[in-house]
Amino acid sequence: MPQFFLNKRLIILLVSIIVLVALIGFSLREREKVTWPEQFLKDMTGFVQNALSGPTNYIAGFIENVQDLQNTYSENQELKPRLDQLASLEAEVQRLKKDNAELREIVGKEDSLSQYEPIQATVIGRNPDRYHENLIINKGENDGIQADMAVITANGLIGKVKNAQSFTSTVQLLSSMDPTNRISAAIQAEDDKKIFGLIEGYDKDKKLLMMTKIPYDAEVKEGQNVISSGLGGVFPEGLIIGKVLEVENAEYGLTQTAYLETGADLYDINHVMVAKITSMSAELQEELQSAIEEEEEEE
């Protein structure tokens, strides 16, 4: 009896395999129409796929968008410091270009200072309360700088050394309101003639230098250049001071006063050159000054 059931199970298994193979073969063959059970299964499968594909794609897209946002945020955090660094680099490049141009122009001025020893210096400080009065440079007595030496930029005279310490010096600008800040100057007139006067004072309202003691009969015109005269043994001759903008008669009409626009930008100064007078030029200037004083006494 047990043998019979064992053989019966085996027969059922074999029959099932045969039926399964027959069904597979039947389903694989090319047919124009499928049976209704196959059609039912396909319809059910398609319905389930359609029902699940929408939410699945939405969830997958949402997760992908979140990942993109996270990546974008991370990249943004990395790029921000680089952008800040780029802005700093651009500012540094502009500053270096400006410094390079100023230094090249200053070096080009050294030939015109053959009687003087030029000392290049950098501005290291300005007092906000007296911004148009003084500035501090990084050269001092140890570099041979002394009081009353001329200080220039590539565009002309800006002032003189007011006092010098061991390692730094204070420069008094042309725009200083100090009444003792006087500079012998000359207006370049027509036919290479010079009209002499003194730079003394600064008009706060007009923001222009004042050149006084100009002879009443001198023909001073707007646009004429004003340079240092070289008299007095302090400033080199021929340094540009500025241009004449206005001319008016002084008190009592005995002299004229000219208002000048400075050649150098007194507001934006980074690099300067101090004109250290040499012993030979000092002697020549002293002789010239003595000759002028003798002529004045004879008159």
Side-chain angles (χ1 to χ4, degrees):
M1 197 69 176
Q3 185 69 28
F4 172 77
F5 284 108
L6 181 61
N7 292 334
K8 187 178 179 180
R9 291 177 181 176
L10 181 59
I11 291 170
I12 293 172
L13 178 61
L14 290 174
V15 172
S16 299
I17 293 174
I18 292 170
V19 172
L20 179 61
V21 172
L23 290 173
I24 293 173
F26 179 77
S27 62
L28 291 177
R29 71 178 182 174
E30 294 183 359
R31 293 168 295 161
E32 294 182 357
K33 295 182 179 181
V34 294
T35 61
W36 70 265
E38 290 177 325
Q39 184 66 38
F40 178 76
L41 289 174
K42 286 184 177 180
D43 290 341
M44 290 298 295
T45 303
F47 177 77
V48 174
Q49 287 177 341
N50 288 332
L52 295 177
S53 63
T56 302
N57 292 333
Y58 176 80
I59 294 173
F62 178 77
I63 294 174
E64 185 177 355
N65 290 335
V66 171
Q67 291 177 345
D68 291 340
L69 287 174
Q70 289 178 342
N71 293 334
T72 303
Y73 178 77
S74 300
E75 292 174 357
N76 189 36
Q77 293 299 108
E78 292 179 1
L79 289 175
K80 276 186 176 180
R82 294 185 182 181
L83 288 175
D84 295 339
Q85 185 179 10
L86 179 62
S88 300
L89 289 175
E90 289 179 350
E92 183 68 11
V93 168
Q94 292 298 324
R95 186 186 67 80
L96 291 175
K97 284 183 177 180
K98 183 175 181 294
D99 289 349
N100 186 44
E102 289 180 356
L103 290 173
R104 285 179 179 273
E105 291 175 349
I106 287 177
V107 170
K109 289 290 183 181
E110 291 186 2
D111 293 338
S112 63
L113 299 175
S114 56
Q115 294 182 339
Y116 296 80
E117 177 185 344
I119 303 173
Q120 294 187 19
T122 301
V123 177
I124 60 174
R126 298 185 75 164
N127 189 338
D129 295 333
R130 306 187 66 185
Y131 198 83
H132 293 285
E133 297 276 335
N134 304 316
L135 56 82
I136 301 173
I137 59 176
N138 65 340
K139 297 293 177 67
E141 292 179 344
N142 291 348
D143 302 289
I145 293 179
Q146 299 176 1
D148 293 331
M149 287 184 175
V151 182
I152 68 172
T153 67
N155 297 316
L157 184 68
I158 65 166
K160 65 180 181 179
V161 177
K162 185 175 183 179
N163 53 65
Q165 293 76 42
S166 298
F167 304 102
T168 61
S169 299
T170 299
V171 176
Q172 186 177 51
L173 299 175
L174 295 176
S175 56
S176 172
M177 299 303 296
D178 186 353
T180 63
N181 187 25
R182 299 181 178 182
I183 300 170
S184 178
I187 300 173
Q188 291 180 316
E190 297 176 356
D191 301 327
D192 294 331
K193 293 182 180 179
K194 293 181 180 180
I195 303 171
F196 294 94
L198 290 176
I199 303 294
E200 51 177 356
Y202 182 78
D203 192 304
K204 281 186 176 181
D205 296 330
K206 297 181 179 181
K207 296 182 179 180
L208 298 173
L209 292 178
M210 298 170 59
M211 182 175 179
T212 63
K213 305 298 189 292
I214 301 173
Y216 73 92
D217 56 348
E219 295 184 5
V220 181
K221 299 180 181 179
E222 181 181 347
Q224 290 179 324
N225 290 324
V226 179
I227 61 175
S228 57
S229 67
L231 302 177
V234 176
F235 298 101
E237 181 181 1
L239 295 179
I240 295 175
I241 297 176
K243 287 186 176 182
V244 177
L245 289 187
E246 300 178 21
V247 183
E248 63 181 27
N249 290 327
E251 190 175 1
Y252 307 118
L254 300 178
T255 60
Q256 300 181 80
T257 298
Y259 294 90
L260 317 178
E261 180 183 31
T262 58
D265 186 356
L266 301 181
Y267 181 82
D268 185 13
I269 305 174
N270 294 311
H271 302 281
V272 300
M273 187 162 56
V274 181
K276 179 182 178 182
I277 190 170
T278 60
S279 58
M280 180 178 296
S281 62
E283 293 175 358
L284 291 175
Q285 293 289 349
E286 289 178 0
E287 291 178 2
L288 179 60
Q289 185 67 19
S290 298
I292 293 173
E293 290 177 355
E294 289 178 0
E295 290 180 0
E296 291 178 351
E297 290 177 359
E298 290 177 357
E299 292 177 357

